[in-house]
Amino acid sequence: MKRSIQHEPFTVQLVETSQWSSPIHSHNHFELILIRTGSGQHVINGNRFAYQAGDVFFLGPLDSYYFVVDKMTCFCCISFTELYMSGLTTSGIHDWSQIRERGRTASQSLVSSIVTDRIEQQNLNALVEIILTEQYNYHQLVSNQIVDALMKTILSLVDRQLSQTQGLGSSTVSSSSLMERIGTYICHHITMPDHLRMEKIADVFNYSPSHLVALFKQQTGESINQYIIRYKLQLVETRLRLSTMTISQIADEFGFTDICHLNKLFKRYYLTTPTAYRRRSLAPSRVRTAYLQPSFS
C-alpha cells in the first residue's frame, strides 16, 4: 500500500472532482476532510460509508482510505502533523487526547461522519472558511496567529466529537458487535447463496428483516446486499489474479446469475471486465503497478 508523506506541517486545500484520483493509501499525518458538496462513498480500513454534503471525516496516520464519487464532490482537506499540533500549545491546556489516541491505531469502529449535527457542521465550516480566506489573502498558514487560534478551536471540536463517539452507550457497542458477527457469518457463507438471503440472515440473528436492514445501514452506511456484493467482488478479484479458474467457474462459485451478471457488477467497481482485469494482472509488473488497485478509488 502506498504511504503518502507530507513534509509541510500544515496544509489546507479544496479539491472538486468527479473521480477520486489518489490510490488507497496511509499517511504520516492527520487529515480532516469536510464534504462541501456532492455525494458518494467513503472507504476507510475496508469499511464503506455513504457520504453527503456536510459530512466530516477524521483520519489518523494509520488509516487507509479512498472515496468513490457518485456526484461531483468538493472536498476540503486539512492535513497536519503531530509536530504541528504539539506546536500549537506549550501550556498543556489543549491535550487533544482523543486525536492523539487516534494517531496510534487504525480506526475499526463502524462510524461514518464524526459530526452529524447540522449546527456543528455549519460552525466547523465557518471556521475553515476563515482559514481558506487567510490562505488566499496572505499565503501563509504556519506561524499565522489567526490560523493557529482557529485550528486550536477546530481541534478541540474534533476531539470532543471523537470523545463522544468513544463514549457511546452500550446499545451502540452491542450494535457494533452485531455488525462484526454478521460480517463473520457472511464471510463463512459467501459461497452459499441460500444462506445469504435477507430472511435467512435475519432469522439467524433473531431480528425482523426490516429492522436488521435498517440497523446495518445505520451502522455501516451501506446495505447488507451491498456489503455482500463488495465482499464477493474482492474475492473474485483475488481469484482472477491468483487462480486459473475460468470466469464462468468464478461466477458459479459465488452465486452470480451468469457471466453477464458478474461482468456488470465487476465493471461497476473496477471499471473494467473480469477478463480485461485478469489480462492486465498478468502483464509485466511495470505495466500493472498502477492498475491493480480497484479503479473506484
Side-chain angles (χ1 to χ4, degrees), residues 115-126 157 160-161:
V115 183
T116 57
D117 181 79
R118 185 62 61 183
I119 300 300
E120 291 276 7
Q121 290 176 349
Q122 292 174 352
N123 291 340
L124 185 57
N125 273 284
L157 289 173
R160 182 175 67 187
Q161 293 297 326

Side-chain angles (χ1 to χ4, degrees), residues 66-237:
Y66 58 88
F67 286 91
V68 180
V69 179
D70 295 333
K71 183 179 180 181
M72 176 74 75
T73 299
C74 181
F75 301 92
C76 180
C77 304
I78 301 177
S79 304
F80 58 92
T81 64
E82 174 78 28
L83 183 63
Y84 172 79
M85 188 167 61
S86 298
L88 287 178
T89 178
T90 57
S91 62
I93 296 175
H94 302 288
D95 181 56
W96 301 310
S97 58
Q98 295 299 322
I99 292 178
R100 296 181 190 279
E101 178 63 27
R102 187 65 176 270
R104 290 190 280 269
T105 59
S107 174
Q108 295 298 328
S109 56
L110 295 175
V111 294
S112 48
S113 173
I114 65 168
V115 183
T116 57
D117 181 79
R118 185 62 61 183
I119 300 300
E120 291 276 7
Q121 290 176 349
Q122 292 174 352
N123 291 340
L124 185 57
N125 273 284
L127 295 171
V128 173
E129 196 64 39
I130 300 175
I131 292 178
L132 289 169
T133 300
E134 284 290 305
Q135 179 173 250
Y136 179 79
N137 290 332
Y138 302 103
H139 311 289
Q140 181 181 353
L141 294 177
V142 179
S143 300
N144 181 316
Q145 291 185 348
I146 293 177
V147 172
D148 286 351
L150 291 168
M151 278 303 297
K152 288 180 182 180
T153 304
I154 289 172
L155 291 176
S156 295
L157 289 173
V158 169
D159 197 72
R160 182 175 67 187
Q161 293 297 326
L162 293 176
S163 178
Q164 291 174 352
T165 300
Q166 293 299 321
L168 291 174
S170 59
S171 62
T172 301
V173 174
S174 298
S175 296
S176 297
S177 175
L178 174 63
M179 298 306 108
E180 292 175 1
R181 289 189 287 120
I182 292 175
T184 299
Y185 173 87
I186 290 172
C187 176
H188 287 166
H189 298 89
I190 196 65
T191 60
M192 306 175 189
D194 288 343
H195 287 74
L196 298 179
R197 291 182 293 105
M198 192 61 249
E199 294 79 6
K200 175 65 175 178
I201 298 175
D203 182 61
V204 169
F205 292 95
N206 297 314
Y207 280 83
S208 69
S210 59
H211 187 190
L212 190 60
V213 165
L215 184 61
F216 193 93
K217 177 77 172 181
Q218 178 186 26
Q219 290 293 309
T220 69
E222 64 180 341
S223 70
I224 291 181
N225 284 335
Q226 288 172 326
Y227 179 90
I228 291 172
I229 289 172
R230 179 167 56 85
Y231 183 53
K232 281 185 176 183
L233 291 177
Q234 290 173 347
L235 295 175
V236 167
E237 185 266 345

Side-chain angles (χ1 to χ4, degrees), residues 1-2 4 6 13 15 20-33 35 41-47 49 51 57-68 75-79 102 106 293 296-297:
M1 180 191 304
K2 181 179 179 182
S4 174
Q6 175 172 303
Q13 59 178 328
V15 178
W20 187 258
S21 59
S22 299
I24 185 170
H25 67 278
S26 59
H27 31 81
N28 71 327
H29 53 273
F30 296 93
E31 288 188 312
L32 183 66
I33 300 179
I35 309 298
Q41 299 166 72
H42 182 213
V43 184
I44 173 172
N45 303 327
N47 295 314
F49 309 106
Y51 76 77
F57 298 100
F58 184 73
L59 305 160
L62 299 180
D63 292 321
S64 58
Y65 75 95
Y66 58 88
F67 286 91
V68 180
F75 301 92
C76 180
C77 304
I78 301 177
S79 304
R102 187 65 176 270
Q293 293 293 348
F296 48 67
S297 61

Side-chain angles (χ1 to χ4, degrees), residues 240-243 277-285 288 292:
L240 292 171
R241 289 191 294 109
L242 302 178
S243 81
Y277 187 92
R278 169 172 276 174
R279 186 183 306 118
R280 295 288 186 91
S281 71
L282 296 176
S285 59
R288 71 170 186 264
L292 290 180

